[in-house]
Amino acid sequence: MPRIITVSSGKGGVGKTTFAVNFALTLSRVAPTILVDLDTGTSSVRNTLDTPVSKDLYHFFRKGQLLTDCVTHLDPTLDPQGLFKDFSFIAAPMHSIEEITNWNDSSRWKLVHAINQLPAEFVVLDLRAGLDANVIDFLPLSNSGILVFTPHHPAATLAAGDIVKSLLFRKLRFIFSTDSPFFRKHGALANQHRMVNELLDQVEDVYEDNLPNLDAFLQDLLMSLGPSPYLETIINVVHSFGVYFVLNMFDGVEESYDTAVRPFVDYLKNGLSAHLKLTNLGWVIKDDA
């Protein structure tokens, strides 16, 4: 099974696909890598690579082709020295098709299963910009993910924070759902289970300021329950939750920090937890040429 790495962004126009393409090309110098274009409304990967495509996600969903048959290798004229011989990609359809742009559950799980069978060491998923089910549903299925934002779009920085918040709460909701392994083990504590989910509702609700973040939630939970499996589990999830981000179109340490990095970090610390592991993987210098 390949290692799956998602690339996402809070909003469009931050260079997500450009980063995803170059990141996948770089990974292919280490091991076989397949880039999958899941930004299915634009087909940006196809346009960026300018390589003839014979089969794409249309053929997978509509024509019943195997996903492995939809893999396209880089045009040799673009790589005359063979530096990227282990790079390939799966293109989105040439035009927006509703059932492929907005998958139902059956199509989504069919695609997830097929991605896990791809013959590569790394699979990079270029997700669509923004926050919707197709983004949030794919992020937890990956081994790791990278957020891309830029100092030139402050709104995209906060939207990237919303992706982190949604993903963390999705993980907590799954752990404390009634069909989870945790519930099967601790389901006898029904009152505690109900209270934990009600408190999570308050933290997630931006209009509710009684519990501004998960740190306040944990303090409240400790006072209410004392040491408990719920408290221990939430602490472990929050403290081990890693956030990896790349700053694109970097144009100076002070300006980029003030307009992008600091608002992003402050948003997560104040709105989620001061204990999240935040890692800046680096930046891409702005090129005015």
Side-chain angles (χ1 to χ4, degrees):
M1 183 179 295
R3 179 173 182 180
I4 300 172
I5 304 172
T6 59
V7 178
S8 57
S9 63
K11 287 185 177 294
V14 302
K16 170 184 61 66
T17 295
T18 301
F19 172 81
V21 168
N22 284 281
F23 178 61
L25 284 166
T26 302
L27 282 178
S28 73
R29 300 286 299 274
V30 178
T33 300
I34 298 176
L35 172 63
V36 184
D37 186 0
L38 296 185
D39 194 354
T40 50
T42 62
S43 195
S44 296
V45 168
R46 179 201 303 261
N47 297 331
T48 300
L49 290 170
D50 193 25
T51 292
V53 174
S54 60
K55 295 177 182 177
D56 54 34
L57 287 177
Y58 168 85
H59 298 84
F60 172 73
F61 283 111
R62 282 277 187 93
K63 299 299 183 181
Q65 297 284 335
L66 296 175
L67 193 61
T68 51
D69 293 334
C70 301
V71 173
T72 298
H73 293 275
L74 200 62
D75 190 323
T77 61
L78 299 176
D79 183 28
Q81 296 180 334
L83 298 177
F84 306 105
K85 57 182 175 56
D86 287 329
F87 169 83
S88 54
F89 67 98
I90 297 173
M94 292 180 62
H95 305 288
S96 178
I97 300 173
E98 176 63 24
E99 68 189 67
I100 300 177
T101 302
N102 298 300
W103 304 299
N104 57 31
D105 287 342
S106 175
S107 296
R108 186 179 296 112
W109 288 112
K110 175 184 176 182
L111 180 58
V112 167
H113 177 74
I115 287 173
N116 280 313
Q117 306 304 314
L118 287 174
E121 186 74 21
F122 299 107
V123 172
V124 177
L125 306 182
D126 181 27
L127 302 180
R128 70 176 59 173
L131 186 62
D132 64 16
N134 285 343
V135 174
I136 294 302
D137 284 346
F138 269 95
L139 284 170
L141 299 171
S142 64
N143 307 103
S144 52
I146 300 172
L147 279 168
V148 180
F149 54 93
T150 170
H152 302 285
H153 294 281
T157 300
L158 298 182
D162 286 335
I163 290 178
V164 176
K165 182 176 181 179
S166 296
L167 181 57
L168 180 53
F169 274 92
R170 174 67 65 91
K171 186 170 185 176
L172 290 171
R173 296 292 188 189
F174 173 77
I175 291 173
F176 297 125
S177 66
T178 54
D179 57 353
S180 69
F182 182 92
F183 185 80
R184 287 194 291 271
K185 184 176 181 180
H186 303 287
L189 306 173
N191 289 335
Q192 292 188 19
H193 193 82
R194 183 166 50 254
M195 184 181 72
V196 167
N197 279 286
E198 289 174 353
L199 290 174
L200 281 174
D201 288 340
Q202 292 184 40
V203 181
E204 193 172 16
D205 187 349
V206 296
Y207 296 100
E208 176 66 61
D209 57 5
N210 291 332
L211 293 174
N213 54 42
L214 287 170
D215 295 338
F217 162 74
L218 288 169
Q219 288 293 326
D220 195 87
L221 201 62
L222 178 61
M223 293 176 61
S224 301
L225 301 180
S228 74
Y230 289 90
L231 185 69
E232 180 182 354
T233 298
I234 297 171
I235 289 175
N236 288 338
V237 169
V238 172
H239 287 213
S240 64
F241 193 83
V243 180
Y244 302 91
F245 64 95
V246 170
L247 193 63
N248 195 21
M249 293 182 277
F250 181 85
D251 56 357
V253 174
E254 185 173 350
E255 180 181 352
S256 296
Y257 177 80
D258 288 340
T259 59
V261 177
R262 185 168 63 182
F264 179 68
V265 172
D266 288 347
Y267 178 83
L268 293 182
K269 286 187 174 181
N270 296 331
L272 274 180
S273 172
H275 299 286
L276 296 178
K277 294 181 178 179
L278 306 180
T279 304
N280 182 359
L281 297 178
W283 51 82
V284 181
I285 303 297
K286 182 181 179 182
D287 185 0
D288 293 322

